[in-house]
Amino acid sequence: MVGRGRKLSTRIVTGQLVILAITSAIGFVLLAYAQKAQLDRDYEQRALAIARTAAADPQIQGAMEYGGGGDIVQTLSDRIKTDSLASYVVVIDLAGVRHSHPIPELIGKPVEETPPDGRSSVRIDHGATGTSANGKAPLRGPTGALVGEVSVGIAERDVLGQLRRELSTFGLYLGSALAVGLIVSYVLARRLKRTTFGLELEEIAGLLQDREAMLHGIREGVLAFDPQGRITVVNDEARRLLGLGTALGARLDQLLPDGRLRRALDGSLTGVDLTVLTDSHCLAVNRMPVALRGRELGAVVTVRDRTELVGLLRELDSVRGLTDALRAQQHEFANRLHTLAGLLELGEHEAALEYAVELGSSEPALTESIRTLIANPLMVGLIVAKTAVAAERGVRVLLDEGSRLGEQPGHLRRLLTIVGNLLDNAVEAAGEQGVVRLSLVERPDAVTLRVADSGPGVPADARESIFEDGWSTRPERGTARRGLGLALVHRLVQRHGGTVTVSEGPGAVFTVTLPLPDDDPAPLGSVFTVVPDVLTGAGL
C-alpha cells in the first residue's frame, strides 16, 4: 500500500504540502489571469487618454479639417508616440484613410475597420504592429465638425512586462504563505502525534478492529464514560444486561432511573463486585477510573451476569444447611435409639412402647396443626421444612392461629418465594432460643403476610436502605451472597402492585400485602421474569 511504513507526521506534512502547492499554483494562475485582464483594461484606458490628447491638438485638428498640412500630421503623431511610449498613433479621416502610421507604407491607405463614428472605444487590437491595447477617440476640427479619429496602441509586451514585475511580488507572497503552511502542518502533525499517543495510522486501525472484536466477543458487559459522564463505548452484552438502547453520547440519568444500579454505574457507590439486582438478572458491577499521564480520561465499567452462579451458590449453601440439619437429626435419632434400647434392656417394655409412640406422633401432629390453617400443600411443606431447620438452630417458628390460606391462593409462587426469604431472615435474626411468628391471611381483596422475630430489629437509619441490593447486617455465610433476599422480596411485591413494610426494633415485623385478584398468575413450574428462579431457593 502506498505510504505504508511512513510516519504519521510525514504523511500529514507531505499531504499538506501537496495541497498547499496545488492550491497555491491554482491561485497563482487565477491571479495572473485576473491581473492580466486588469492590466489590459488599465492600458486600454491609458491608450484612450493618449488618443484624446492627440485629438485635442489644434495643429492636427486644423490639418485634418482644412488640409494642406503635408507631413505635419505624421510628425505630430510620431512626437506624441515617442513622448507617451505608445506603440503607434494613427490619425484616420472620415473615409478611413490613414494620415499617420509607424509603417510609412501604410500612410494613405484605408483601414480594414469601419470608418469613424464619432464615439470613443477600447479593445485589444491585433493589427499590423502586433497585439496591443488600443484606444480610439473622435477627432473634430476647429469648427467642431467630425473630421476623423485618433487610434493609439500600447504594445502587449509592455503589458506582459508589467505583469511579470507584479507577479514576481505575488510569487514571493505565495512562497511565504507556503512556508508558513508547511511550518503549521508540521506543528499540527506533532500535536496529532501526541494526541494519538505516538501511534501510527495502521496501529490505530488495528486497535479499533481489536477493540470491536473484543467488545462484542466477550460475555461481559463493558461501558466507558468520558470525564463528563457521557457513554462513549457500550457493547452488546451491556445493552442486554442493562436494557439499554442507543446509549452512545447519553448520560446515565437520561437512561436509567435513580437507584442502586445507576449509582453503581456512575461511581456513587464504591467497592468491588457490587451486587445489583435488576428485573431479570443478578449483576456484579465494577468501575475503574482511567487516567493517562496524569490526565483524567473517564472510567470503564464491567458488568457480569451472576444470576446462575449466585443461584448455584445459594443452592449449595442450602444443601449444606440441609446436611447440617440431617447430621443434627441423625445425632438426635441416635440418642433416641439409645434411650429406647436402654429401656428394652432394663425390661421396661411398657415405657419403651410409650416412648416410641410419643416419638412417632410428634411430627405428624405439627403437620396436621399447620394443615388446619393452610390448605395449600406446597405452602404447608415449606412451613414444615423451615420449622424443622429452625428447630435445629434452636429457634421456634409459630404459625398464628388466625392464619387462613386456601388450597389455590392467588400469588402462590410469589408467596412461596416471599415466605421462604422472610422466614430465613427472621430465623437468623432471632438467634438461638429465639421465636419467629408467621401469619398468612387470605381475604377477597388481598393476601397479607406478616413475619415477626424476637431479634434486635432493624436500625432506624436503615429502614430506607434495607431493601436495596447487597444490604445486610451480617457477614457472609458459606458461599451464599448476603443482601439479596429482601431485595428480591421488595422487587417481587412492587412488581405486582403490593406493599412491603418493616417496623423498628426490638424485633422486626415485616408485613407484605399482595392485591387480589392475581392479574398475572404464574402456574407451578413457570419462571418469573421479575426474579430469576435460581435466586429464590434459599433466604439470605
Side-chain angles (χ1 to χ4, degrees):
M1 185 175 66
V2 178
R4 189 177 183 85
R6 292 192 299 171
K7 292 183 177 181
L8 177 61
S9 56
T10 303
R11 298 184 192 184
I12 293 176
V13 172
T14 302
Q16 291 288 340
L17 184 60
V18 171
I19 293 173
L20 287 173
I22 293 175
T23 55
S24 298
I26 294 174
F28 187 82
V29 171
L30 294 176
L31 179 62
Y33 276 105
Q35 191 63 20
K36 171 65 166 54
Q38 183 62 42
L39 287 176
D40 284 339
R41 289 191 292 271
D42 292 344
Y43 274 75
E44 286 171 355
Q45 293 300 320
R46 178 180 170 187
L48 179 60
I50 297 173
R52 287 173 174 171
T53 301
D57 190 296
Q59 294 181 342
I60 295 178
Q61 291 177 351
M64 291 299 296
E65 184 173 4
Y66 302 120
D71 295 333
I72 189 172
V73 174
Q74 175 69 18
T75 301
L76 293 174
S77 297
D78 288 342
R79 187 183 65 189
I80 294 173
K81 177 177 75 69
T82 302
D83 294 341
S84 62
L85 301 178
S87 176
Y88 61 84
V89 175
V90 179
V91 179
I92 306 169
D93 60 20
L94 292 176
V97 178
R98 300 182 181 94
H99 288 258
S100 67
H101 200 279
I103 302 176
E105 291 80 6
L106 295 180
I107 297 176
K109 294 182 178 182
V111 297
E112 298 176 358
E113 294 87 358
T114 58
D117 56 3
R119 292 180 296 178
S120 300
S121 63
V122 293
R123 62 170 184 162
I124 298 298
D125 181 38
H126 304 280
T129 59
T131 303
S132 61
N134 177 258
K136 293 181 179 180
L139 177 61
R140 299 182 183 275
T143 62
L146 181 66
V147 295
E149 70 177 5
V150 179
S151 176
V152 177
I154 299 176
E156 184 72 12
R157 61 178 177 273
D158 296 338
V159 178
L160 294 178
Q162 180 65 24
L163 179 63
R164 282 191 294 270
R165 287 189 294 272
E166 294 185 4
L167 289 183
S168 61
T169 303
F170 295 147
L172 180 61
Y173 293 155
L174 290 176
S176 301
L178 188 62
V180 172
L182 180 61
I183 296 173
V184 172
S185 299
Y186 178 75
V187 173
L188 176 62
R190 293 293 300 272
R191 182 174 181 180
L192 290 177
K193 190 76 171 178
R194 289 194 301 269
T195 304
T196 57
F197 305 107
L199 297 176
E200 301 298 335
L201 292 178
E202 291 79 11
E203 294 173 328
I204 296 175
L207 286 176
L208 178 61
Q209 294 173 355
D210 294 343
R211 190 198 74 164
E212 291 299 312
M214 178 189 69
L215 284 177
H216 299 289
I218 61 177
R219 297 207 47 178
E220 286 191 6
V222 177
L223 299 96
F225 298 89
D226 64 12
Q228 288 72 42
R230 293 187 295 266
I231 297 177
T232 57
V233 174
V234 56
N235 67 349
D236 297 336
E237 185 69 3
R239 288 191 174 98
R240 183 184 72 85
L241 294 176
L242 303 176
L244 301 177
T246 304
L248 291 177
R251 297 173 60 89
L252 286 175
D253 54 9
Q254 300 170 333
L255 302 173
L256 298 173
D258 187 24
R260 180 176 174 83
L261 176 59
R262 197 174 92 184
R263 294 197 297 271
L265 293 176
D266 64 17
S268 300
L269 294 179
T270 59
V272 179
D273 285 341
L274 294 174
T275 300
V276 177
L277 198 65
T278 68
D279 287 346
S280 303
H281 304 284
C282 179
L283 306 177
V285 179
N286 286 282
R287 180 184 172 97
M288 180 65 67
V290 178
L292 184 63
R293 298 174 184 174
R295 183 176 54 168
E296 188 71 24
L297 300 180
V300 174
V301 175
T302 59
V303 182
R304 297 197 306 275
D305 187 2
R306 301 192 58 173
T307 306
E308 295 183 5
L309 177 61
V310 170
L312 291 174
L313 292 177
R314 290 169 62 85
E315 184 176 352
L316 176 60
D317 197 67
S318 298
V319 171
R320 287 182 176 177
L322 180 60
T323 302
D324 293 339
L326 290 175
R327 184 179 296 111
Q329 288 184 354
Q330 182 268 340
H331 185 267
E332 180 65 20
F333 185 70
N335 290 336
R336 293 174 179 178
L337 286 180
H338 291 158
T339 302
L340 187 61
L343 291 173
L344 292 175
E345 186 176 352
L346 293 173
E348 298 289 341
H349 299 91
E350 292 185 3
L353 178 60
E354 292 177 0
Y355 182 67
V357 170
E358 180 184 354
L359 292 177
S361 62
S362 60
E363 294 298 331
L366 173 64
T367 302
E368 289 303 320
S369 66
I370 296 177
R371 280 183 179 274
T372 59
L373 304 176
I374 307 297
N376 182 265
L378 290 178
M379 185 61 72
V380 172
L382 176 64
I383 296 174
V384 169
K386 295 297 183 183
T387 301
V389 173
E392 296 300 330
R393 297 184 181 181
V395 179
R396 289 187 302 154
V397 176
L398 304 178
L399 181 62
D400 190 89
E401 294 295 333
S403 297
R404 293 293 184 273
L405 193 67
E407 187 173 355
Q408 292 296 330
H411 302 287
L412 176 58
R413 289 277 298 187
R414 301 174 192 104
L415 284 174
L416 292 173
T417 298
I418 295 170
V419 170
N421 279 286
L422 291 182
L423 282 179
D424 285 338
N425 283 342
V427 168
E428 289 200 15
E432 192 172 355
Q433 304 301 320
V435 177
V436 175
R437 300 183 184 275
L438 170 64
S439 172
L440 272 169
V441 179
E442 181 182 10
R443 299 190 304 274
D445 60 341
V447 177
T448 301
L449 160 67
R450 183 175 289 105
V451 177
D453 62 69
S454 59
V458 178
D461 58 351
R463 295 184 63 186
E464 297 297 328
S465 58
I466 189 173
F467 295 109
E468 290 189 358
D469 316 336
W471 187 93
S472 179
T473 60
R474 298 183 298 276
E476 300 288 342
R477 172 171 55 86
T479 56
R481 299 282 300 194
R482 293 283 189 184
L484 293 182
L486 292 179
L488 289 173
V489 170
H490 186 260
R491 283 180 176 273
L492 199 57
V493 172
Q494 284 204 330
R495 181 64 177 265
H496 296 279
T499 60
V500 54
T501 59
V502 58
S503 68
E504 297 182 9
V509 179
F510 286 87
T511 304
V512 175
T513 302
L514 291 172
L516 292 177
D518 184 1
D519 295 331
D520 185 20
L524 294 180
S526 66
V527 178
F528 286 123
T529 58
V530 62
V531 178
D533 273 352
V534 295
L535 297 181
T536 61
L540 293 181

